[in-house]
């Protein structure tokens, strides 16, 4: 059974184009986007450990994109991710769609109409906060309810620049704060069918092998799981002993290196070695490396439509909507013509009546 790396990054062209249009000096503000592995799939295949498949998500810079364009950019980027999975089955297990927090109406419809029917989009990626608005905000309840209905897992990603020397601490504090907010909202009880994957959760909740207060609260909430991005073997050991291997997923966060001396080409292999070095038994290691994800994916409802079927349905729906709109316009025009004719007829009748007197 291949290793499943449940979160790695790419940079879809949709985001590149949108950021170019915004004239944001992205390379200076976010040096990590210069990484070639984000766009070069041949190089990525070389860097990927043998017998390993990746689940891939976009590098997200929504706050650099005007709010009115975010839904359009996310939709285009998600389509690119789906195509990557179809084009590179030797590399990708699936893709994680992104939904913008600033447009909940779009996000709910897209989740129900597209993601829930996709063969390639295995879940969604949400940021811990966006434009000052937290994921754990009661205003997002409509989205949470839709997630509960379609039963797609959510990867919760902290907002931090990977190249910053303070990245790990910033990401850790964001995840801990979000966990506290979700616990206070009794989120797990309200949305029991949603699996929330805390990206970097092992490193955040079990830093230096210590069990945080947030981890203790989380232990009883079975629909919260953690991945191993940025974690060392001690932290992975503690996470498995506390939560159980079935709630720990392997992630390299490739191609971003957070440890000094680890090159981007070696990130995935380095992360894999941390799991292998953890003081857990072989069965637990297999669960972390693949089994936990396989069990989670088995709970995702069987897709209703294939990607091609979905494309054809969207075309048919667009055609039907166009025909409906044209029919409504024709009906409106005919009503105006009928009204004008009736008005003229009434005037003629009135004139004829006047003449008879």
């Amino acid at each position: 059974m291949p290793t499943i790396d449940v979160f790695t990054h790419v940079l879809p062209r949709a985001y590149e184009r949108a950021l170019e249009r915004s004239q944001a000096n992205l390379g200076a503000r976010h040096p990590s986007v210069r990484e070639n592995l984000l766009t070069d799939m041949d190089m990525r295949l070389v860097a990927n450990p043998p017998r390993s498949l990746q689940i891939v998500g976009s590098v997200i810079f929504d706050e650099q994109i005007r709010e009115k364009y975010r839904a359009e950019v996310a939709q285009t980027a998600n389509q690119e991710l789906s195509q990557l999975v179809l084009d590179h089955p030797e590399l990708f297990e699936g893709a994680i769609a992104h939904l913008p927090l600033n447009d909940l109406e779009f996000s709910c419809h897209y989740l129900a109409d597209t993601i829930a029917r996709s063969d390639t989009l295995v879940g969604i990626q949400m940021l811990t906060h966006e434009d000052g608005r937290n994921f754990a905000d009661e205003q997002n309840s409509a989205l949470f309810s839709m997630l509960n209905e379609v039963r797609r897992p959510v990867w919760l990603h902290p907002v931090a620049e990977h190249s910053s020397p303070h990245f790990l601490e910033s990401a850790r504090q964001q995840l801990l704060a979000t966990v506290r907010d979700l616990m206070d909202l009794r989120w797990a009880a309200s949305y029991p069918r949603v699996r929330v994957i805390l990206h970097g959760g092992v490193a955040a909740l079990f830093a230096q092998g210590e069990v945080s207060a947030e981890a203790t609260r989380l232990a009883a909430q079975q629909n919260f799981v953690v991945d191993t991005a940025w974690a060392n073997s001690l932290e992975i050991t503690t996470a498995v002993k506390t939560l159980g291997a079935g709630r720990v997923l392997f992630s390299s966060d490739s191609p971003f290196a957070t440890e000094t001396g680890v090159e981007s080409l070696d990130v995935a292999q380095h992360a894999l070695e941390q799991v292998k070095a953890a003081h857990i038994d072989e069965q637990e290691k297999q669960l972390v490396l693949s089994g936990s994800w396989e069990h989670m994916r088995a709970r995702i409802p069987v897709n209703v439509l294939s990607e091609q079927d979905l494309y054809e349905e969207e075309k048919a729906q667009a055609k039907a909507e166009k025909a409906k709109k044209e029919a409504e316009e024709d009906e409106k025009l005919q009503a105006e013509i009928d009204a004008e004719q009736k008005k003229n007829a009434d005037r003629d009748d009135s004139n004829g009546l006047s003449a008879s007197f």
Side-chain angles (χ1 to χ4, degrees), residues 123-163:
I124 69 168
Q125 175 187 183
M126 302 294 289
L127 301 176
T128 51
H129 64 275
E130 183 179 315
D131 293 326
R133 181 173 178 174
N134 294 329
F135 172 78
D137 190 317
E138 290 181 321
Q139 294 182 57
N140 299 331
S141 59
L143 178 63
F144 299 156
S145 296
M146 185 59 68
L147 285 168
N148 197 58
E149 182 176 331
V150 303
R151 288 180 281 173
R152 281 295 197 274
V154 180
W155 276 257
L156 198 54
H157 197 298
V159 182
E161 167 52 40
H162 284 82
S163 62

Side-chain angles (χ1 to χ4, degrees), residues 147-207:
L147 285 168
N148 197 58
E149 182 176 331
V150 303
R151 288 180 281 173
R152 281 295 197 274
V154 180
W155 276 257
L156 198 54
H157 197 298
V159 182
E161 167 52 40
H162 284 82
S163 62
S164 167
H166 308 295
F167 167 77
L168 281 178
E169 184 57 27
S170 176
R172 180 173 183 267
Q173 292 304 323
Q174 288 176 37
L175 283 172
L176 292 177
T178 302
V179 167
R180 290 192 295 269
D181 291 343
L182 290 171
M183 294 298 101
D184 291 343
L185 282 174
R186 299 179 59 81
W187 203 90
S190 300
Y191 310 102
R193 297 195 295 181
V194 185
R195 291 292 180 270
V196 178
I197 302 169
L198 300 174
H199 180 52
V202 171
L205 296 168
F206 304 96

Side-chain angles (χ1 to χ4, degrees), residues 232-259:
N232 59 39
S233 59
L234 174 60
E235 293 162 345
I236 294 169
T237 300
T238 308
V240 170
K241 299 303 182 186
T242 304
L243 301 177
R247 293 174 63 189
V248 181
L249 304 171
F250 170 63
S251 169
S252 68
D253 200 45
S254 175
F256 298 128
T258 55
E259 285 191 39

